[in-house]
Amino acid sequence: MMVLQEIINNYRATGELSHEEIVFLLGLEKPDEVGGLLALANEVREKHLGPDVHLRGIIEFSNHCVRRCVYCGLCYGNRELKRYRMHPHEILDTAAGAVEMGFRTIVLQSGEDFHYTNDMIAYLVAAVKKMGAAVTLSLGDRPQAAYTSWKAAGADRYLLKFETSDTLLYRQLHPESTLARRLKNLTYLRDLGYQLGSGNMVGLPGQTITSLANDILLMKELSLDMAGIGPFLPHPATPLGKARAGTMEMTLKVLAVTRLLLPRTHLPATTALGSVQEDGRRAGLLAGANVLMLNLTPVKYRALYDIYPAKAEATSKPQQLKEEAEKLVDELGRRVSSGYGHAVKIEYQ
Ligand code: 5AD
């Protein structure tokens, strides 16, 4: 029989956890034991990364998408959604405003929208870099030539979640694609020199604790620079509309165990976590997270980037979001980082 204390002692000595031990930790339910796990993750975060919290500004510049991911409100099949595209000038104005406000990283995210050519994206990347910010792209599966040209244009990071490490579940959720293809793209991005972000969703229909343990081990195997971990939230206009949502508790356990195994990886307290429960992001920051991604999309488009329902930050202006984030960080006795928040291995070189 496994004993919690032994697992923890062993982890403290080796920094390792076996698959079986991860499953055991994710299965904890007693509040004091779960609390102990989250507190340990918080301790590991403090030891390796200190009090710094990195703020990233995300611009969701188009909600058009060619894909039919069955959990996502932006999926091609959702004919009810009004679609928008921001003009490149509008994207750059938004980015310039964010840089002026002090954001050091701009995340450009959209559905898989081929309206923006590779050259247009490269132009946006170069222009934002010139403003003095680091650039993260989150544009899905793209041809390798696109990844190459955006890196050449100066993009620093790419965020491409694998969502689930279960091959069959991946296929069910993404009818036109495979986990193998996603992993190939992740490897390709890493080889091109991007700082690599990926991650999963927690509480997907059909997902087990064993599968979540595999997700965590995959994040380790990929030695991710950033890992986004958020609860699945059913969107009524999708085939999974009536499924059950992932819970905050399980999401926090996954986040915490990930922190134990990836002590220096940037882990955001995700918007989805803040959407499942009001204090979700605070709880995330206390369970191993060290990043907040703030939504800088112009308010008139915000509700249309309808990935899942009741998204947090639906109407607040960037300045207000930043002040709220700073207040939260301050209340926790932490500090907002003034650096770019590059991957730690790179920053410490
Ligand atoms: N619930 C939670 N997260 C979702 N995402 C997409 N749809 C949902 C949903 N219904 C997440 C995916 C994707 C990111 C942009 O949003 O993890 O990578």
Side-chain angles (χ1 to χ4, degrees):
M1 205 191 74
M2 273 199 270
V3 183
L4 179 57
Q5 201 51 52
E6 263 176 41
I7 296 176
I8 304 251
N9 291 344
N10 195 32
Y11 167 75
R12 283 193 186 279
T14 64
E16 305 282 346
L17 291 169
S18 68
H19 185 273
E20 202 186 359
E21 289 169 335
I22 297 172
V23 169
F24 182 88
L25 293 177
L26 296 181
L28 293 177
E29 279 182 357
K30 290 191 194 133
D32 58 325
E33 293 183 344
V34 175
L37 170 65
L38 307 188
L40 177 60
N42 194 40
E43 179 193 320
V44 170
R45 187 270 313 148
E46 180 69 31
K47 179 170 160 217
H48 289 269
L49 300 168
D52 282 2
V53 175
H54 301 281
L55 301 189
R56 321 291 201 196
I58 177 162
I59 304 173
E60 302 156 333
F61 63 86
S62 161
N63 69 350
H64 286 257
C65 193
V66 299
R67 301 280 296 268
R68 295 172 189 271
C69 308
V70 302
Y71 48 81
C72 183
L74 305 191
C75 64
Y76 185 75
N78 183 4
R79 296 303 168 110
E80 285 156 40
L81 182 65
K82 191 176 150 214
R83 304 284 173 164
Y84 72 91
R85 286 188 176 112
M86 285 173 66
H87 190 278
H89 290 147
E90 198 179 10
I91 299 171
L92 292 181
D93 283 349
T94 307
V99 173
E100 213 162 287
M101 274 170 57
F103 284 94
R104 311 290 307 272
T105 291
I106 301 298
V107 184
L108 296 177
Q109 189 179 76
S110 70
E112 292 192 21
D113 180 3
F114 289 84
H115 166 83
Y116 301 84
T117 62
N118 293 349
D119 285 351
M120 277 163 83
I121 300 289
Y123 167 78
L124 292 173
V125 169
V128 177
K129 287 290 289 184
K130 229 169 149 186
M131 295 171 193
V135 173
T136 301
L137 293 175
S138 178
L139 309 174
D141 286 318
R142 297 295 177 115
Q144 297 190 342
Y147 293 152
T148 306
S149 71
W150 303 337
K151 187 75 188 70
D156 299 274
R157 315 185 188 124
Y158 203 97
L159 171 57
L160 184 67
K161 291 176 64 170
F162 60 74
E163 317 291 4
T164 173
S165 61
D166 178 325
T167 312
L168 199 63
L169 184 57
Y170 190 96
R171 183 75 194 174
Q172 287 164 354
L173 296 174
H174 310 95
E176 319 99 326
S177 193
T178 62
L179 180 62
R181 174 174 176 218
R182 177 124 317 189
L183 295 178
K184 210 170 126 210
N185 276 337
L186 283 167
T187 310
Y188 194 72
L189 287 161
R190 159 58 48 80
D191 290 346
L192 279 171
Y194 283 93
Q195 295 167 51
L196 195 61
S198 191
N200 69 345
M201 279 185 280
V202 177
L204 289 162
Q207 192 182 41
T208 59
I209 285 190
T210 311
S211 164
L212 285 168
N214 289 335
D215 290 358
I216 295 171
L217 288 171
L218 178 56
M219 295 190 229
K220 185 171 165 72
E221 194 183 314
L222 292 167
S223 52
L224 296 179
D225 298 303
M226 184 277 212
I229 296 162
F232 159 69
L233 299 165
H235 189 298
T238 66
L240 295 181
K242 296 220 157 58
R244 236 193 286 170
T247 64
M248 164 136 138
E249 289 70 28
M250 186 56 80
T251 308
L252 291 175
K253 285 189 277 184
V254 174
L255 178 66
V257 175
T258 304
R259 170 56 72 213
L260 299 188
L261 285 182
L262 291 163
R264 297 187 153 213
T265 293
H266 289 308
L267 299 179
T270 54
T271 310
L273 193 53
S275 305
V276 74
Q277 209 159 303
E278 214 193 309
D279 59 348
R281 292 197 313 174
R282 173 189 300 261
L285 286 175
L286 290 172
N290 70 322
V291 174
L292 290 171
M293 295 174 76
L294 306 187
N295 192 337
L296 306 183
T297 310
V299 175
K300 63 180 169 184
Y301 303 122
R302 219 67 78 75
L304 300 176
Y305 203 77
D306 186 23
I307 297 183
Y308 47 78
K311 228 167 118 202
E313 306 187 334
T315 55
S316 304
K317 296 237 159 63
Q319 189 64 43
Q320 193 182 339
L321 291 175
K322 185 158 175 272
E323 280 163 20
E324 283 165 12
E326 284 165 350
K327 184 162 164 272
L328 172 59
V329 170
D330 199 51
E331 279 167 13
L332 296 174
R334 311 258 283 271
R335 68 168 188 232
V336 171
S337 163
S338 56
Y340 284 109
H342 284 309
V344 173
K345 319 175 241 214
I346 291 175
E347 199 142 283
Y348 280 59
Q349 263 172 11

